[in-house]
Amino acid sequence: MNPGFNIFGFLVFYFFLFTNLFAETNPTHQYSCFQTNCISFDLPSRWFLTERRSNGIATKFDHFKTLPLKEESGREIIPALVILFKESENKLPLHPIIFHAESRRFSMITNVRNSFSLQKIPNVENSYKFLGIFGNFKDKEDIVLQHYITATEDKFGFTIIITCYESVYPQIEKDIRQFLDSLSWYTRPLPWKFKNPEEQISKAKELESSALDRLKTKKSEEISLALEELSDSCELGSASACEMFTLFMNLGR
């Protein structure tokens, strides 16, 4: 068994307090980074990260959802928001319009209701970072609404898909507007430089081990640092760190 889960029991209470404190002090602002690229956004705290995966080289995947929303009939529906970072297969720069068209395979939209663009690029006329469409498709007798959004930066492409049944969409419409209005791309310095894959694997293990040691202290400031280390280890490709980061971020829900 992964040693991180051996300490789960006695950390639940401390994480419950910490995550509730975090939600109260910073209820909406979130970000996700991969290598030098970051996407930031505002999303109400009822949305939570349910899965994070990264191969440490070319892809990273974040999946957010809410607790079930009830239709008038009583049926429960769970909206989903997915963010995908992906490096171009040929390592060459991506064209934003071509990438947007080719990535449509990830979207199920059959009826486009409107198109939009977000984050104006400074000093470039009529140019925006994010290209998006909003539309719907049918799932048996249900109408499902979907936002499909893409952006590119050099050899990296970003795809965002938000999916929700039309019957409960009014319950999250304000959330989605907040997300779209705040959506922003930015760069950061490259956090690590490795000579070979072995160095990267070693660093991922080092960060995960350090995080586990910090968790055992049960101190809120150490827990905060541990979550950052687990997130970094996950980004470098540690599947167990991804699982623990997601688990600990959602204790108390």
Side-chain angles (χ1 to χ4, degrees), residues 18-221:
F18 175 76
T19 51
N20 281 342
L21 175 63
F22 181 84
E24 290 173 2
T25 57
N26 192 7
T28 61
H29 190 68
Q30 302 194 47
Y31 66 91
S32 184
C33 296
F34 189 61
Q35 297 190 20
T36 60
N37 295 284
C38 295
I39 292 176
S40 68
F41 51 90
D42 290 343
L43 201 60
S45 56
R46 66 170 168 173
W47 290 81
F48 55 96
L49 182 69
T50 186
E51 184 178 7
R52 170 169 287 176
R53 297 199 306 264
S54 171
N55 68 2
I57 302 171
T59 61
K60 180 183 176 182
F61 169 91
D62 280 348
H63 179 201
F64 296 84
K65 68 178 184 179
T66 69
L67 294 175
L69 305 178
K70 283 192 176 182
E71 296 179 320
E72 290 184 1
S73 66
R75 184 175 61 161
E76 294 185 333
I77 304 295
I78 301 177
L81 189 157
V82 170
I83 300 174
L84 174 65
F85 295 74
K86 191 175 189 304
E87 186 179 37
S88 63
E89 294 179 2
N90 57 13
K91 311 295 184 182
L92 296 176
L94 293 165
H95 189 285
I97 296 177
I98 295 175
F99 178 77
H100 182 79
E102 291 181 344
S103 297
R104 273 290 300 271
R105 67 184 186 276
F106 294 118
S107 171
M108 298 180 69
I109 293 174
T110 56
N111 175 45
V112 176
R113 298 190 179 188
N114 67 278
S115 58
F116 56 91
S117 51
L118 303 167
Q119 192 180 2
K120 179 76 169 63
I121 298 176
N123 304 318
V124 182
E125 187 176 357
N126 297 323
S127 185
Y128 293 82
K129 194 66 182 178
F130 295 94
L131 304 176
I133 60 173
F134 173 61
N136 65 268
F137 61 92
K138 292 201 71 175
D139 178 18
K140 297 180 181 178
E141 298 304 314
D142 293 296
I143 296 177
V144 183
L145 302 181
Q146 193 169 77
H147 290 79
Y148 163 72
I149 307 162
T150 63
T152 62
E153 178 61 25
D154 194 28
K155 61 183 180 179
F156 267 92
F158 323 106
T159 304
I160 301 170
I161 297 179
I162 309 168
T163 308
C164 182
Y165 276 48
E166 187 175 44
S167 57
V168 297
Y169 186 75
Q171 298 181 47
I172 64 162
E173 188 169 8
K174 185 177 179 181
D175 300 356
I176 303 309
R177 175 47 51 193
Q178 183 180 30
F179 174 84
L180 296 176
D181 288 345
S182 64
L183 187 61
S184 178
W185 166 89
Y186 64 96
T187 60
R188 65 175 181 178
L190 187 65
W192 312 279
K193 291 183 180 180
F194 303 110
K195 296 179 181 178
N196 51 58
E198 289 73 23
E199 280 192 5
Q200 180 169 329
I201 294 171
S202 177
K203 183 62 176 179
K205 291 180 178 179
E206 175 190 326
L207 288 166
E208 185 173 347
S209 177
S210 175
L212 294 176
D213 288 339
R214 292 184 190 278
L215 295 177
K216 293 174 184 177
T217 69
K218 299 178 284 186
K219 297 178 180 179
S220 61
E221 62 272 16

